[in-house]
Amino acid sequence: MNKKTSIGALAVVMLCFFTMGFVDLVGIASNYVKQDLGLTDSQANIMPSLVFFWFLIFSVPTGMLMNKIGRKKTVLLSIVVTVLSLFLPLCGNSYALMLCAFSLLGIGNALMQTSLNPLVSNIVSGNLSSTLTFGQFVKAIASFLAPYIAMWGATAAMPEFGLGWKILFPVYGIIGVIAVVALGMTHIHEEPAGKASNVLDCFRLLGNPFILLCFLGIMCHVGIDVGTNTTAPKILMERLGLDLAAAGFATSLYFIFRTLGCLTGSAILRVLKERSFFLISVVMIIASMVCLAIGDSKWLLYTGIALVGYGNSNIFSICFAQALNHDPEHKNEISGLMIMGLFGGTIFPLAMGYMSDWMGTIGAVLVMAVGAVYLASFVFQIKK
């Protein structure tokens, strides 16, 4: 592949990373759906839970699918499913329809998370980790923009559209269509795939105590990530009396600092041991939980959101790398298992929804704090 083609293919793949970030719109969208339909917190939190439930079901089968049809075609399929999920909410406003839409969004993202990262290795011959880190930065841009697009639709006078905050769906849907066309027209050479792992291979690895600890660490990371994304606007509305459009800034603030963490984390890990950086990150997460639990001022709450955004940004990569390095002979199985750990994005929001119905937003923060305590206990298991 010549340099010009490689750069063009890389640019297209980065557009696909942008579409991967569409999954994070579920945080702000679930708040608007709750407001529109008069849902309880537990009912509203089923939506982000559904999104991440499908990682449990589809991660390993996607590895098998890639061996049959290739990585590029699997990524194309994932974006098509994602685009379908984005146009479905425009067909109505029922709770059942929104649950179907977010289920498809989760399925599409499960396919994409499993197949897009390996596809990058077919384009770049060196600096794979830095390329993947940049992909996460591009992904975070989509996450960051979602609340602003929804807020613009909710507050701007656009009677000719009549979509309100739902303008978010066609905007991202059109970008998804462009990504499908661009990737479909891009030639990417793929080497023959190896033997796919299966569900039993993955679950057997949980018998290894260290692999199990890493798996639980990823579950807690994703739970805190989705939980903050969903709950931060509710905290601002409850404590500061803001409306949803104004409180949506909390989600953007979270993604600003998560993006900053992605950009700086790879550089910091070159000069600082993983255990030390993990410890610093966990301290930031715990401090954020304190701010979110007791904060009653705008700046204290904003500080808590910023701390959890930065602190949680590199937890996944460290847990993932630790697991792979622990057993290099079973990288495929471990990779599938770690992706299944994203199922934590289902468990945490459900628990947070019920606790929030019972105790208010402080109940949701307490659930996230349990995840933070686990990560703190995991610090000294990390190999230097």
Side-chain angles (χ1 to χ4, degrees), residues 8-18 116 119-120 123 183 188:
L10 186 59
V12 171
V13 168
M14 288 301 123
L15 179 59
C16 295
F17 269 102
F18 188 86
L116 184 56
L119 184 64
V120 176
I123 300 173
L183 182 60
I188 298 176

Side-chain angles (χ1 to χ4, degrees), residues 235-236 239-240 290-301:
I235 293 175
L236 294 185
R239 310 272 179 85
L240 305 180
V290 174
C291 292
L292 295 177
I294 67 173
D296 57 5
S297 68
K298 179 186 294 184
W299 295 111
L300 187 58
L301 292 174

Side-chain angles (χ1 to χ4, degrees), residues 157-301:
M158 295 185 295
E160 65 276 18
F161 293 109
L163 294 176
W165 69 271
K166 283 189 176 182
I167 193 71
L168 175 64
F169 293 113
V171 168
Y172 275 178
I174 291 170
I175 295 174
V177 171
I178 295 172
V180 169
V181 174
L183 182 60
M185 296 175 62
T186 302
H187 173 73
I188 298 176
H189 173 74
E190 298 185 47
E191 71 276 4
K195 181 180 179 294
S197 59
N198 57 55
V199 175
L200 289 178
D201 290 332
C202 288
F203 279 105
R204 285 193 190 103
L205 289 169
L206 289 177
N208 184 310
F210 187 77
I211 299 299
L212 176 61
L213 292 175
C214 292
F215 176 81
L216 294 175
I218 286 178
M219 290 189 70
C220 290
H221 153 74
V222 178
I224 293 171
D225 179 65
V226 178
T228 304
N229 185 10
T230 305
T231 303
K234 298 175 185 176
I235 293 175
L236 294 185
M237 292 166 67
E238 180 182 288
R239 310 272 179 85
L240 305 180
L242 301 180
D243 60 26
L244 182 54
F249 172 72
T251 305
S252 290
L253 180 65
Y254 172 74
F255 285 117
I256 288 172
F257 278 87
R258 197 179 78 170
T259 303
L260 181 62
C262 290
L263 280 176
T264 59
S266 58
I268 293 173
L269 284 169
R270 292 177 182 175
V271 297
L272 197 64
K273 293 179 179 179
E274 288 189 1
R275 180 187 290 180
S276 300
F277 188 47
F278 194 92
L279 177 60
I280 294 171
S281 298
V282 170
V283 168
M284 295 176 73
I285 295 173
I286 292 175
S288 74
M289 295 299 112
V290 174
C291 292
L292 295 177
I294 67 173
D296 57 5
S297 68
K298 179 186 294 184
W299 295 111
L300 187 58
L301 292 174

Side-chain angles (χ1 to χ4, degrees), residues 299-319:
W299 295 111
L300 187 58
L301 292 174
Y302 283 173
T303 298
I305 294 168
L307 283 172
V308 71
Y310 192 95
N312 202 36
S313 60
N314 291 282
I315 297 296
F316 175 86
S317 60
I318 294 176
C319 290

